[in-house]
Amino acid sequence: DSGFITNASGYEYISPWIAGTPIKAYTTYMLTGGYTCAAQNNAAMVGGGWVTADAADWNVTAPASLTVTQKVPLYIWLELVIDGRVKVIAYPGDSLASGVSARLPVFDSFPNRHALAYGHIPTIYANSGTTMAEHLDSAHPRWTRYDTATPARPDGVWWEMGSNDVFTPGTTQADLQSRLDTCLTITRQKLSTNIGLMTVLPRLNA
């Protein structure tokens, strides 16, 4: 895109479709962009990348001023048209699914690595610090965020969420069972009826 201006109070921008540019399998690509704004606190999302404050670097292949970041500016997602033979698998989870402790979160997350190993496209429905208790309402933005952006439902789900529930003081086994039951009911409605349950992953120093 050649550039755009948004409302100062917050705005969602949807770019035109980029047609005629095939994405090759097992090839790493980088999405680049830049923005200017008034002095303010801007949103940032968990995700590995590189940032620079030098506006002249916006189209340089390998600028020397880049620094690694675990939180990329703004909130950006991609909508892709893929071959119908390629499966799309959803990964609802928390910081473990986001790969928060990795050098490049999301990119080096276990869902992304798992998808690469098995040849499917991952959709990572992960919120760092979240719990199943925060996913009991099917109308919550955590569930509805991508309803209109990606109408195509995933072919399956690997369910990993639950670590933060286990480590919340006072949570009982009955609580965990009830929350999981509700979450899986919503998952079948929102995502897919093909669900695989994963063992809750270990936590560092826990």
Side-chain angles (χ1 to χ4, degrees), residues 5-24:
I5 298 174
T6 66
N7 189 304
S9 62
Y11 186 78
E12 180 179 274
Y13 174 76
I14 302 174
S15 75
W17 280 100
I18 301 174
T21 305
I23 299 174
K24 299 179 181 179

Side-chain angles (χ1 to χ4, degrees), residues 88-92 154-159 187 191-197:
V88 176
I89 307 298
Y91 294 82
D155 298 288
V157 176
W158 278 111
W159 184 271
T187 298
L191 301 178
S192 175
T193 57
N194 301 316
I195 304 172
L197 297 180

